Amino acid sequence: MRDDLRERIGIALKSAQEEGDKRRCATLRLIQTAVKDREASARDNGKDGVGDSDVIEILQKMISQRVTSADEFETSGQLDLAEQERVEQEIIREFLPVQLTEDEMRTLCEATVKDIEAHGLRDIGRCMSELKSRYPGKMDFVQASCLVKDMLRTEGNGHHQQQGADETPKG
């Protein structure tokens, strides 16, 4: 099971080669190289290689890089390069678990905040650690972090208002 994701990537690469899809081949080779680099680094540090969760992390980072690049290319008027980055994003996304919708993510973030009894911005790290362990690879953790931060900030403000610090008469 450990090599399942890498095996899928290898099969996809062979298929892309047979079809002559150069963009797909190049992207899949980049993925394989990134995984091999991470594996070599893990072995150098005395670890036993990398598993699917590490590969998912690599893929998410690659997508994030391409989102940033696409935005930069679009801003500078290089629309062909921006489109190329978006095509690569879609190729990489094929290997990630199905991502949760924003509503699903919001519900899970709210549940996690309640489960671990988080009460302020100081608890963001605990919330994110819990989300990452519960839903590895299934959500955009940058977006989740923003949702959790908003929830905890709102909750924190609620406490101040209940204490009377910011009360203003309504009228």
Side-chain angles (χ1 to χ4, degrees):
M1 186 69 184
R2 201 185 91 128
D3 293 323
D4 183 46
L5 197 47
R6 281 181 276 194
E7 190 175 315
R8 284 182 40 216
I9 294 165
I11 291 168
L13 177 57
K14 284 181 185 173
S15 176
Q17 289 170 328
E18 290 169 4
E19 295 168 12
D21 187 339
K22 291 180 182 179
R23 167 63 42 218
R24 189 169 174 78
C25 285
T27 303
L28 294 169
R29 283 190 187 110
L30 283 172
I31 294 170
Q32 286 185 327
T33 300
V35 171
K36 286 177 184 172
D37 287 350
R38 175 76 67 92
E39 182 132 81
S41 177
R43 290 190 198 286
D44 287 348
N45 291 323
K47 295 183 181 148
D48 194 28
V50 297
D52 277 356
S53 63
D54 297 299
V55 176
I56 288 170
E57 186 181 307
I58 292 166
L59 296 176
Q60 289 172 327
K61 187 174 185 177
M62 292 177 81
I63 288 171
S64 177
Q65 291 167 337
R66 277 150 187 80
V67 167
T68 302
S69 296
D71 290 345
E72 289 172 0
F73 284 137
E74 197 165 290
T75 301
S76 67
Q78 297 176 302
L79 302 182
D80 54 332
L81 293 175
E83 180 58 25
Q84 194 171 307
E85 294 293 316
R86 288 191 181 95
V87 168
E88 288 184 13
Q89 285 175 47
E90 290 311 308
I91 293 168
I92 297 166
R93 278 186 215 282
E94 292 173 26
F95 300 97
L96 288 175
V98 175
Q99 299 291 291
L100 298 166
T101 66
E102 188 170 344
D103 288 340
E104 291 169 327
M105 192 167 29
R106 181 177 304 280
T107 300
L108 295 173
C109 287
E110 287 171 355
T112 302
V113 166
K114 286 179 187 167
D115 289 350
I116 68 167
E117 299 177 2
H119 294 293
L121 294 175
R122 71 184 182 283
D123 292 325
I124 288 174
R126 280 192 321 128
C127 289
M128 293 311 301
S129 178
E130 188 66 24
L131 286 168
K132 286 178 182 177
S133 71
R134 289 182 185 184
Y135 313 105
K138 293 187 178 180
M139 67 172 68
D140 177 344
F141 291 109
V142 172
Q143 189 178 3
S145 176
C146 292
L147 290 171
V148 169
K149 191 179 291 184
D150 287 345
M151 289 172 199
L152 294 176
R153 184 179 297 128
T154 302
E155 186 171 315
N157 288 340
H159 288 308
H160 290 301
Q161 288 175 346
Q162 289 171 357
Q163 294 169 358
D166 293 338
E167 279 188 22
T168 55
K170 295 188 168 116

